[in-house]
Amino acid sequence: MALYHGSWNATFLGLASFDLLGDPLWLAARTVILSSFLLLAGVSLVLASRGGLDPLRFLRRLAMLAAAAVAVSLSSYLLFPDSPIFFGVLHHLAVASILGLVFVRLPGLVTLAAALAVGLVGDTLSFPAFDQPWLIWVGMATVPPNSNDYVPLFPWFSGVLAGIALARLWPGIGRGEAPAGGIGRALAWGGRHSLSVYLVHQPVLFGLFWLAAQAVGTEPATVREFHASCIAACTQSGGGLDQCQANCRCVQRELTRAGQWEAFLADRLDGPGRQSIGEAVRSCGGG
């Protein structure tokens, strides 16, 4: 997970150019990482209810998940307003923890069949009715939303159900010896505090990669995309490459001076902001 997020940070900040959304290997890596999260959540739900579910402990954990999910959403709306996280892995885990209670006492094969059904339905069916914003979390929309972390109920709840089924079919799971050695104890500590690790590691990594990007002078992916599209449009209109590069840098400079650059990148320009674009283009020789 940390390696994947580090690769995302490096790409976003211009330190690398990993094709995280198109390369089959990166897509497979994301699937494996996310599936392992959900599988272990299902196993943990069974382990937590083996001797009878402790309602207070369950509700405390659920409240922590919900609070963490809200914090992630608020942070994403501030940092990435064009692709916020409104139903990511933490949101999913909070909902799945409630729904999973229905299955923790069912036979493992029944839950395994339910997992296969959820995965199949989520991968094959979609309906326009689920395109509504308040239903997009279900996962059966015809058009996926633009989000940096989207983990809808279908098909991903199948991972939690698979974990529940595994724990039901393997009664001895979770009863091994405590790990020995420094590395083993460190991994065990991380497992016991996985939510804290999840919440802390990405801000720390992003900050470190941001410092590295500042040190070497790279540009974020959104800035590179702007320059690429701006130069392409300019050269297609008959401009020379050098002049187009200068004009596009000028537009960025003028929008920054007008306080509209960040809003432009996030596609959140209001009327005065759109007027600033026109003025910047004209002043930079774009007509």
Side-chain angles (χ1 to χ4, degrees):
M1 175 189 66
L3 288 173
Y4 183 89
H5 284 161
S7 301
W8 187 92
N9 294 336
T11 300
F12 180 80
L13 293 169
L15 294 167
S17 56
F18 299 117
D19 186 10
L20 300 178
L21 300 179
D23 189 318
L25 291 178
W26 280 113
L27 293 174
R30 178 185 184 273
T31 299
V32 170
I33 294 167
L34 179 53
S35 297
S36 69
F37 260 68
L38 302 177
L39 184 80
L40 291 174
V43 171
S44 298
L45 196 58
V46 174
L47 295 179
S49 59
R50 260 183 182 166
L53 186 69
D54 184 339
L56 290 179
R57 187 176 182 181
F58 175 80
L59 290 174
R60 183 167 61 248
R61 174 184 175 276
L62 183 63
M64 291 175 60
L65 273 175
V70 170
V72 167
S73 287
L74 292 177
S75 300
S76 71
Y77 274 98
L78 292 174
L79 295 172
F80 311 107
D82 55 332
S83 56
I85 300 171
F86 61 90
F87 201 81
V89 64
L90 295 182
H91 306 72
H92 185 105
L93 288 175
V95 174
S97 296
I98 299 173
L99 298 178
L101 293 178
V102 176
F103 297 89
V104 293
R105 298 300 180 193
L106 295 179
L109 291 178
V110 172
T111 303
L112 184 60
L116 294 174
V118 169
L120 181 62
V121 168
D123 282 336
T124 57
L125 298 181
S126 61
F127 303 96
F130 288 95
D131 291 340
Q132 302 297 324
W134 62 280
L135 286 175
I136 203 74
W137 62 275
V138 176
M140 299 179 71
T142 59
V143 179
N146 185 20
S147 176
N148 279 322
D149 185 24
Y150 176 54
V151 188
L153 197 62
F154 289 88
W156 291 107
F157 186 48
S158 61
V160 177
L161 291 176
I164 294 174
L166 175 63
R168 294 289 289 162
L169 294 171
W170 183 4
I173 194 170
R175 292 177 177 169
E177 296 182 2
I183 295 178
R185 287 194 295 271
L187 291 173
W189 183 91
R192 289 192 296 270
H193 302 85
S194 56
L195 180 59
S196 299
V197 172
Y198 181 86
L199 291 174
V200 171
H201 86 281
Q202 175 62 336
V204 171
L205 284 178
F206 191 86
L208 292 174
F209 277 92
W210 183 85
L211 289 175
Q214 300 307 304
V216 300
T218 61
E219 293 181 326
T222 51
V223 177
R224 297 198 311 273
E225 290 169 3
F226 160 75
H227 282 292
S229 60
C230 177
I231 292 171
C234 178
T235 53
Q236 288 174 4
S237 299
L241 178 59
D242 292 341
Q243 184 59 44
C244 287
Q245 290 174 336
N247 287 350
C248 291
R249 286 195 297 270
C250 175
V251 170
Q252 178 184 355
R253 186 170 60 250
E254 291 301 313
L255 287 177
T256 301
R257 184 179 301 166
Q260 298 291 342
W261 177 243
E262 296 299 329
F264 168 73
L265 290 180
D267 195 22
R268 291 186 290 110
L269 288 173
D270 53 13
R274 288 189 288 273
Q275 182 179 352
S276 296
I277 291 182
E279 293 174 353
V281 171
R282 286 191 293 273
S283 67
C284 293

